[in-house]
Amino acid sequence: MVAEVIDGNAIAKAIRESINAEIGSIQTVNPLFKPSLTIIQVGARPDSSTYVRMKLKAAEEANIVCTLQNFPEDITESQLLSEIATLNDDTSVHGILVQLPVPAHISEIAVTNAVAPEKDVDGFGPLNTGELAKRGGSPLFVPCTPKGIMVLLEKAGVELAGKPVVVLGRSDIVGAPVASLLRNADATVTVCHSHTENIEKYLKEADVVVSAIGKPHFVKGEWLKPGAVVIDVGTNYIPDATKKSGQRLVGDVDYESAAAVASKITPVPGGVGPMTVAMLLQNVVDAAKRYYAEQAKRHITPLPIKILDKVPSDFEISRNQKPKNIRVLAKEIGITENELENYGAYKAKIQLSLLDRLAHRKNGKYVLVTGITPTPLGEGKSTTTVGLVQALGAHLGKIAFANVRQPSMGPTFGIKGGAAGGGYSQVIPMDEFNMHLTGDIHAIGAATNLLAAAIDTRMFHERAQKDGPLYKRLVPAKRGVRKFSPVMLRRLKKLGIDKTNPDDLTPEEISKFARLDIDPATITWRRVVDCNDRHLRGITIGQGPAEKGHTRETGFDITVASECMAVLALSNSLTDMRERLGRMVVASSKSGEPITCDDIGAGGALTALMKDAIKPTMMQTLEGTPVFVHAGPFANISIGANSVLADKMALKLAGTEPGEDEAEKAGYVVTEAGFDFTMGGERFFNIKCRSSGLVPDVVVIVATVRALKLHGGGPDVTPGVALPEVYRKEDVELLRKGCANLGKHIANAKQYGLPVVVAINKMETDTEAEIQCIREEAIKAGADDAIPSNHWAEGGKGAVELAEGVVAAANKTEGKDFKLLYDLEQSVEDKLNAIATKMYGAEKVELSDLAREKVETYTRQGFGNLPICVAKTQYSLSHDAALKGVPSGFTVPIRDVRASVGAGYLYALAAEIQTIPGLPTHCGFMDVEVTDDGEIEGLF
């Protein structure tokens, strides 16, 4: 008998060709599918290098990206583990293989265990080996050599069920795992090893022999049962003078004598070896397919909520819901562990690197929530935002994000309370949401106050020193060497001075560089505090004796009114934020030139203070859907919306991979703009969308019966005072009159060429006739739909119809023609007129002498082409809070114009705006207490 040779080379080649074809087929649907393997080799052992070259060549044939990372033999174990951790975090790497053996000073177990289970294509990690050893286990990967052995047996047509099989060797790499695989194939397996007595006896009874004992020519033909199948795994080198290397590769089996007895046999070389490499490649492809399948399986598991007929306080509802661990939520929506920076169990910052990883995805659907002209009680935009997202995510099965601003602690401890939503539609834990969060506001406060201190300090030193000494102190010698810092090089470039050696500047250049000559009367930069401290609105600084009488009048703003906050909200990257911070204008020189943060030398330092604040914070709704909480720009003098970066991240996480059905798979990002559409919505489009390049798919306008009755002529509404009876009983006629205000907001939104859905935020006193009245008037005014929503009392379930309406409008393909309200090249006054006439219904604007002078200055300084933010009352379409409904024929007075150059807009004051509110007699903080176990009580 002459045994049939099981040709591992031929089978492995066919597998490589099959893998190549499979990859090509997948790439026709998803061109980004590129299976990637990284091989780690420590040192340069000749045998290891040979195996590595084989793997690199085979990977190339199979169309797999294969990278070799070779480290010196003296690398420490901790350094190697760090390199493996980096590869674990790299989502472009699907498989990691550590070429064994490693040097003696490195633990082989520690290294193989360090590879992430989902990238352990060698199958040597504890999860994979443990699962393989379990009866019915599910390893992610089977070790390559044992897997190759099983494929060889299958291709050779060997039946294993019930057959006696002997495995020689019990190593973790071959013997033990192949024994497990054979048992799983229902073979009767005996494992023999170096201490087994009478091995020949066991071999004589075996129908299949797998030898991995590591001894050349150990198994003799006479030991075998006639007709047995022999799989030789041995890789042994014996002396051979005929070979150039002086040695020859042989197996564990004496091939000539065994081939005369066996029915089938694998040669060495050309048997198991090529199959090991082929199975490695197959494991890499499987790892890549698993990664992309996980991305496609993104799904939010909702948290159940128990709805009570009598809705408890917001704080009680929040306290009674157990949130998911933020790691669980992150995994559900496809955020990797290395992109997550935990701040406790229920909130985390997200790394901006996510945007690069998901850059290939098509954005999800983008929804803007805004409102009608509100009453002082608010009409529930935040609650509607959260309720809508809960409906989309927890009830319609979509990936859905609520993107909201971080609330200031000023209103939280004052009278307004928190901003987490309300009832059964809120962000949790609401105490963490409303206080501190991840410290972004404090970072912005530190940055703002650093710049304020730098301005006053610079003026102090310029007054006290002549040019030469001033310059020497600005650019001191350190260890005998003088050099310009990076921010100083920026100033030199601005001044047109092309020199990098501080000693090369002429006296004239030194004066230009060192002396800013700030005009104190033009300083616009103020210090900030995150507290409603009315007594800081106007202060005098510099009264200490060391300041030598250099006093000036200034004041504090609340931190969220700082331009640094607006910069955070509008930046597109860390680099963009650095540039914006640097170009913030803080004053003018006495010659009328703008003085920037970089001129002061603080741009880099401010960026350093805010480098973590630029990362959005993730939380969750009451029903376990994701929320991005980021930035909190003051809604009167800024955009009053969350950050561009949070929206961009969420849109990618809610987006679709190549080949996915967009209509079925696309998720939703619901973001909110402060105040009504004439303020928040207008700024969102003309400022935020200009910065981000994003365009919403649909606008949702929140309306209430209460507010529309007020605009129809109802009596004033006052916080803390019982609602007048007209708001608690049906009055369709009064309501219909007030719907004119809603109609104007719908018309305003339609000017931007987008669909509009009206969300009727239901309250318990609303009647069906009143709801129908609003719906009729909204559709008549051009809304796609007007849908009642009871999310406050019912959570996401109460907003399902609204969510369905938003989905339908967002997916409209006809009638969308996005356009902005004005061109940036128009004059400042023309832009103001466009906003006032088209959004407010005014006849015109009228600039005061001060405002006109400021406009001329900003235009001369090169800032006339910025978009405009108008600061006015939120309680009227006009500048006058007393004018309800839809006033017309009025003139909007522009009292002053100020610049937020770093943020990228001018803001015009049509009303006196308090940029630091005051505290009431009874403050919110008076009700707050902390229990002995650390729980906060008394919030809202």
Side-chain angles (χ1 to χ4, degrees):
M1 177 188 295
V2 178
E4 175 189 340
V5 176
I6 304 175
D7 190 346
N9 279 323
I11 296 171
K13 181 181 179 183
I15 290 171
R16 293 195 300 272
E17 291 172 350
S18 173
I19 289 172
N20 192 317
E22 182 183 19
I23 292 171
S25 176
I26 295 173
Q27 286 177 340
T28 60
V29 178
N30 181 3
L32 298 169
F33 182 78
K34 295 177 182 177
S36 169
L37 169 67
T38 295
I39 300 173
I40 292 174
Q41 183 182 15
V42 181
R45 282 179 42 148
D47 54 346
S48 289
S49 296
T50 300
Y51 293 138
V52 168
R53 285 195 296 272
M54 289 170 51
K55 291 165 184 173
L56 291 169
K57 184 174 184 296
E60 184 180 1
E61 291 177 6
N63 193 22
I64 289 174
V65 178
C66 189
T67 305
L68 172 63
Q69 289 192 3
N70 193 287
F71 298 104
E73 193 153 348
D74 62 355
I75 188 173
T76 67
E77 182 176 300
S78 62
Q79 287 174 324
L80 184 57
L81 293 176
S82 177
E83 295 291 344
I84 293 172
T86 299
L87 292 171
N88 284 339
D89 290 341
D90 187 347
T91 56
S92 69
V93 175
H94 303 113
I96 302 170
L97 181 148
V98 180
Q99 184 65 44
L100 301 177
V102 292
H105 67 280
I106 295 173
S107 165
E108 190 172 290
I109 293 175
V111 168
T112 53
N113 287 1
V115 177
E118 67 274 12
K119 299 188 179 187
D120 175 29
V121 289
D122 243 350
F124 292 164
L127 184 143
N128 286 315
T129 55
E131 284 295 313
L132 181 60
K134 283 165 52 178
R135 181 182 175 89
S138 300
L140 296 173
F141 302 102
V142 172
C144 303
T145 299
K147 185 175 182 178
I149 291 168
M150 298 304 289
V151 173
L152 285 173
L153 290 169
E154 179 191 348
K155 296 293 185 183
V158 178
E159 290 290 334
L160 293 170
K163 298 292 179 67
V165 177
V166 168
V167 176
L168 292 179
R170 54 182 175 176
S171 73
D172 291 334
I173 294 175
V174 180
V178 81
S180 295
L181 290 171
L182 290 164
R183 278 193 292 269
N184 291 339
D186 296 323
T188 302
V189 182
T190 301
V191 177
C192 298
H193 47 81
S194 58
H195 294 284
T196 303
E197 295 181 359
N198 299 320
I199 287 179
E200 304 96 311
K201 179 178 118 181
Y202 295 103
L203 293 176
K204 270 291 185 185
E205 297 173 357
D207 287 339
V208 177
V209 174
V210 177
S211 182
I213 204 163
K215 295 181 179 180
H217 297 160
F218 177 75
V219 178
K220 312 300 181 185
E222 57 266 28
W223 295 359
L224 299 174
K225 178 180 179 180
V229 176
V230 179
I231 306 294
D232 191 350
V233 191
T235 52
N236 310 290
Y237 287 91
I238 61 173
D240 188 338
T242 66
K243 299 291 183 181
K244 184 177 180 181
S245 64
Q247 56 185 3
R248 176 165 54 97
L249 176 65
V250 298
D252 291 347
V253 178
D254 180 52
Y255 187 82
E256 289 185 8
S257 64
V261 178
S263 62
K264 300 174 190 286
I265 191 169
T266 59
V268 177
V272 174
M275 291 300 296
T276 298
V277 178
M279 294 302 98
L280 170 66
L281 302 181
Q282 186 63 63
N283 280 352
V284 174
V285 174
D286 290 345
K289 290 195 294 186
R290 186 180 293 114
Y291 169 76
Y292 283 101
E294 287 293 325
Q295 296 300 301
K297 287 194 298 187
R298 304 182 305 279
H299 176 73
I300 296 168
T301 303
L303 291 175
I305 55 175
K306 184 178 180 181
I307 304 291
L308 302 179
D309 292 337
K310 181 174 174 55
V311 179
S313 72
D314 293 349
F315 192 59
E316 286 180 81
I317 292 172
S318 174
R319 177 72 64 83
N320 289 331
Q321 180 66 301
K322 175 74 171 175
K324 300 175 192 174
N325 188 291
I326 202 69
R327 288 181 180 274
V328 173
L329 180 58
K331 186 174 182 180
E332 288 178 350
I333 58 178
I335 296 174
T336 64
E337 282 198 21
N338 64 296
E339 290 165 346
L340 203 68
E341 294 181 9
N342 282 58
Y343 282 69
Y346 307 126
K347 56 186 183 290
K349 280 191 166 293
I350 310 301
Q351 295 272 6
L352 301 190
S353 57
L354 178 144
L355 287 170
D356 294 327
R357 177 172 68 87
L358 300 182
H360 63 279
R361 278 194 191 165
K362 186 172 182 179
N363 285 349
K365 300 295 183 181
Y366 197 23
V367 181
L368 171 64
V369 174
T370 180
I372 62 169
T373 306
T375 69
L377 301 179
E379 310 318 311
K381 288 194 308 298
S382 297
T383 307
T384 301
T385 296
V386 176
L388 173 57
V389 166
Q390 289 181 167
L392 288 164
H395 297 269
L396 297 186
K398 305 289 186 181
I399 298 292
F401 282 80
N403 281 10
V404 297
R405 288 182 292 166
Q406 178 182 348
S408 165
M409 287 193 296
T412 296
F413 288 134
I415 193 170
K416 180 180 182 290
Y424 289 105
S425 294
Q426 56 174 299
V427 182
I428 58 170
M430 63 100 75
D431 52 342
E432 294 186 24
F433 175 85
N434 285 299
M435 291 196 295
H436 296 297
L437 200 63
T438 48
D440 293 356
I441 290 179
H442 302 310
I444 288 163
T448 304
N449 291 336
L450 172 63
L451 181 54
I455 294 166
D456 288 305
T457 297
R458 185 60 171 266
M459 290 194 298
F460 174 83
H461 288 303
E462 285 191 26
R463 289 189 192 106
Q465 301 174 68
K466 293 184 178 179
D467 290 352
L470 176 64
Y471 181 61
K472 284 185 178 179
R473 288 182 172 88
L474 278 173
V475 194
K478 295 181 179 179
R479 296 180 181 177
V481 178
R482 295 180 74 197
K483 67 177 184 177
F484 293 117
S485 64
V487 75
M488 290 177 176
L489 293 172
R490 287 172 178 254
R491 174 156 173 78
L492 288 168
K493 183 178 180 181
K494 174 182 174 180
L495 295 171
I497 300 172
D498 187 20
K499 295 178 181 178
T500 57
N501 186 345
D503 296 328
D504 290 346
L505 269 63
T506 66
E508 182 184 2
E509 289 171 337
I510 286 172
S511 182
K512 283 175 65 177
F513 171 80
R515 197 161 295 281
L516 300 180
D517 202 22
I518 295 170
D519 180 355
T522 66
I523 296 174
T524 55
W525 199 260
R526 290 155 64 93
R527 290 163 173 81
V528 296
V529 63
D530 193 29
C531 177
N532 291 2
D533 193 343
R534 66 175 71 242
H535 290 91
L536 293 178
R537 290 171 179 166
I539 62 169
T540 301
I541 62 171
Q543 294 189 331
E547 279 61 68
K548 302 176 182 179
H550 294 150
T551 63
R552 72 179 180 91
E553 291 186 357
T554 181
F556 274 73
D557 293 333
I558 198 163
T559 307
V560 293
S562 166
E563 187 177 350
C564 290
M565 176 62 87
V567 165
L568 180 72
L570 290 166
S571 293
N572 287 277
S573 65
L574 181 62
T575 301
D576 185 28
M577 185 175 77
R578 169 63 185 91
E579 295 302 318
R580 288 172 179 268
L581 290 171
R583 65 175 179 256
M584 294 187 303
V585 174
V586 300
S588 293
S589 68
K590 290 174 182 173
S591 62
E593 294 302 310
I595 303 297
T596 67
C597 174
D598 270 353
D599 290 328
I600 301 290
L606 267 62
T607 307
L609 286 168
M610 293 172 57
K611 72 178 180 64
D612 290 321
I614 198 173
K615 304 166 192 171
T617 298
M618 189 170 77
M619 296 186 74
Q620 64 194 281
T621 68
L622 199 71
E623 296 188 53
T625 58
V627 177
F628 273 149
V629 188
H630 200 214
F634 202 73
N636 286 104
I637 62 170
S638 185
I639 60 169
N642 68 288
S643 76
V644 165
L645 279 168
D647 287 357
K648 286 188 170 183
M649 276 192 181
L651 285 165
K652 291 302 180 186
L653 288 164
T656 48
E657 294 280 346
E660 289 183 336
D661 183 350
E662 184 186 352
E664 175 63 28
K665 193 69 178 177
Y668 289 77
V669 176
V670 183
T671 190
E672 178 189 344
F675 297 144
D676 63 1
F677 185 87
T678 61
M679 294 180 72
E682 181 269 315
R683 297 168 188 173
F684 183 92
F685 287 121
N686 291 303
I687 298 177
K688 186 176 179 182
C689 288
R690 271 193 166 100
S691 178
S692 69
L694 301 172
V695 178
D697 294 282
V698 60
V699 176
V700 176
I701 298 177
V702 179
T704 61
V705 169
R706 176 181 65 201
L708 293 174
K709 284 182 177 178
L710 175 68
H711 290 294
D716 285 344
V717 172
T718 305
V721 177
L723 279 173
E725 187 180 0
V726 69
Y727 298 112
R728 292 181 280 112
K729 70 175 186 179
E730 184 177 295
D731 191 332
V732 175
E733 184 179 349
L734 182 67
L735 176 64
R736 199 174 294 277
K737 289 179 184 176
C739 281
N741 182 274
L742 171 60
K744 173 60 175 166
H745 284 290
I746 293 170
N748 284 350
K750 296 290 284 185
Q751 286 193 58
Y752 294 88
L754 298 175
V756 176
V757 172
V758 173
I760 306 169
N761 186 12
K762 281 185 68 174
M763 299 181 184
E764 59 184 1
T765 54
D766 298 347
T767 68
E768 186 59 32
E770 289 173 328
I771 296 296
Q772 286 304 313
C773 171
I774 295 174
R775 190 166 191 277
E776 291 167 11
E777 295 298 322
I779 292 173
K780 189 190 301 181
D784 288 58
D785 209 342
I787 305 167
S789 184
N790 198 22
H791 45 274
W792 180 81
E794 297 180 5
K797 178 183 175 184
V800 168
E801 288 186 25
L802 173 62
E804 290 171 339
V806 167
V807 169
N811 284 284
K812 282 181 63 173
T813 55
E814 296 180 2
K816 290 184 179 179
D817 181 25
F818 180 69
K819 49 188 175 292
L820 295 167
L821 197 65
Y822 51 78
D823 294 327
L824 294 180
E825 291 71 27
Q826 292 178 248
S827 70
V828 173
E829 189 166 358
D830 284 347
K831 285 181 277 197
L832 284 166
N833 271 310
I835 295 169
T837 58
K838 295 177 182 178
M839 293 288 101
Y840 310 158
E843 185 177 328
K844 61 179 181 178
V845 298
E846 185 174 83
L847 276 65
S848 70
D849 291 342
L850 174 63
R852 196 169 294 282
E853 180 185 337
K854 291 279 196 73
V855 168
E856 290 171 359
T857 297
Y858 294 141
T859 302
R860 177 178 55 79
Q861 292 177 338
F863 309 135
N865 62 345
L866 295 176
I868 309 291
C869 172
V870 180
K872 72 174 190 70
T873 179
Q874 66 267 38
Y875 297 125
S876 171
L877 284 164
S878 75
H879 63 287
D880 184 350
L883 298 178
K884 304 300 182 187
V886 187
S888 60
F890 55 92
T891 297
V892 178
I894 303 300
R895 298 176 172 86
D896 194 2
V897 178
R898 297 173 187 170
S900 289
V901 177
Y905 58 83
L906 303 178
Y907 63 96
L909 279 70
E912 290 299 326
I913 303 297
Q914 292 290 359
T915 52
I916 184 165
L919 291 169
T921 304
H922 182 89
C923 306
F925 65 75
M926 294 177 178
D927 300 319
V928 176
E929 195 52 79
V930 180
T931 64
D932 291 342
D933 59 358
E935 293 288 346
I936 297 172
E937 292 185 340
L939 286 173
F940 332 113

